[in-house]
Amino acid sequence: MDRPLVLVLDFGSQYTMLIARRIRELGVYCEIQPCTLPIEQVRALNPRCVILSGSPFSVLDAASPKIDPSVFSMGVPVLGICYGEQLAAHLLGGAVEKASAREYGRATLTVHNPVGFLSRFARGEETEVWMSHGDRVVALPPGFEVLATSAHSPFAAVGDLSRRLFGVQFHPEVHHSVRGTDVLAGFLFDVTGLKADWSAGAFVDEAIAKVKASVGAGRAVCGLSGGVDSSVAAVLCHRALGDRLTCVFVDNGLLRKGERDQVERVFREQFELDLRVIDARERFLTELAGVHDPEKKRKIIGRVFIEVFDEVAQTLEGVTHLVQGTLYPDVIESVSFKGPSAVIKSHHNVGGLPERMKLALVEPLRELFKDEVRAAGEAMGLSREILWRHPFPGPGLAIRCLGDLTEQRLSVLREADAIVEHELRAHGLYDSVWQCFAALLPVRSVGVMGDERTYDECIAIRAVTSVDGMTADWARIPYEVLGAMSSRIINEVRGVNRVVYDISSKPPATIEWE
């Protein structure tokens, strides 16, 4: 795919992925690579410009990550952010020293020379930025000049205009930097001359062509869960391969109410996919009988899914490729300067399929972030109902049904959960929370219904707000909505006589109960 590339070299900053997000949001395609990428490979990527990320390291440490200085003589613009600025100064003849005090938090940037990437600012203009550094530049390399300062950073923004080399001590990618987007836009558009021509919608046509080329005359199989990633991957690959794609949906008995029917309706009827629905409910529940430990549940579910998927795949003739909904954050983790993440839970994908299948991977979404996946799905006609449904864990209701996993208890939970979702939607709150669901607790309490004593179980309602699921706060759902949920659950779901609301945040709690 021939398109202009912005190359972000990662030195281990917690904000590196955010840099890429901001650039994509500006309509420009970018990729993240580790700072250890050999200079020959950097040149082979033919980037239009290079951005050096921040880092938790100090350039003064012998073991800190470095790059080949010839990056600065490739003839393309370079922007160093925080550690990236310090590294550029260190390698090009300037000086860096330990700051007398670490500067962390908001600072006021004053623009003295609005040129280069600061051309969208006025001379003397002040703006709030976010600082996070322990070292500071104390002398500029030859050819550099000061463009902006802050109270504690005399070299807060610098540049060599003739060579188009720039550096900032602050982090323009974080939302605390009020005009950070203008800083990045100035570098991408005013300095580098790029155009805002990247979009997830335009990506679809390119991805379809790539899938066609990858699979050739072969056939592919896709594990379809009904979630956003697998749904978009399946529809995209179906456009590329037609009836040479077979999707497998495994009903494990741990699904939400109506989920199997919804998947069949959408993908078999609307998109006309070759969809194999496997009823494995009894098999899963038999394996899970008497298992209460959540990690054991997860491992059993992952193992049985792999067994079922493998059995189905073995019945399909001529299958050469396996479709997976890998996203760009997964790719970044695997190439990060800090190394790949230690553990990926087996139930999240079909990565544990037996070696004997010998299927080549097709990962059509590996260049996209989650929001871009949704945009691609919208471009292909997937409904909001599919694309914006709340996250659902790989083990399904198994980790929301604490205690014995029986068909009867799962049925109770399924009905209660459907009521929670219905009331949230009815009151216009569904899109304002990250996740909302019911959990069935193995706790019985005394109640009175119709003048008779009851001794039934308890439903906990869990609702959180979040940006990415890494941290979360409990959602302040209005009392009248919680009251409607509780009243309906107790009146309509036999076996429940008490409803509670979970007001724990993450951390210290997790979003799911198990």
Side-chain angles (χ1 to χ4, degrees), residues 33-79:
Q33 294 288 345
C35 60
T36 52
L37 193 71
I39 188 63
E40 296 78 13
Q41 294 183 37
V42 171
R43 291 195 181 98
L45 289 171
N46 193 30
R48 290 285 300 276
C49 62
V50 176
I51 294 180
L52 311 178
S53 83
S55 175
F57 299 94
S58 167
V59 299
L60 302 175
D61 295 337
S64 63
K66 305 292 195 302
I67 54 171
D68 189 319
S70 57
V71 165
F72 301 105
S73 57
M74 289 172 54
V76 301
V78 178
L79 172 64

Side-chain angles (χ1 to χ4, degrees), residues 159-175:
D160 180 331
L161 299 178
S162 62
R163 290 190 289 170
R164 296 187 298 172
L165 306 178
F166 302 94
V168 292
Q169 185 58 76
F170 58 92
H171 287 272
E173 70 273 22
V174 304
H175 76 273

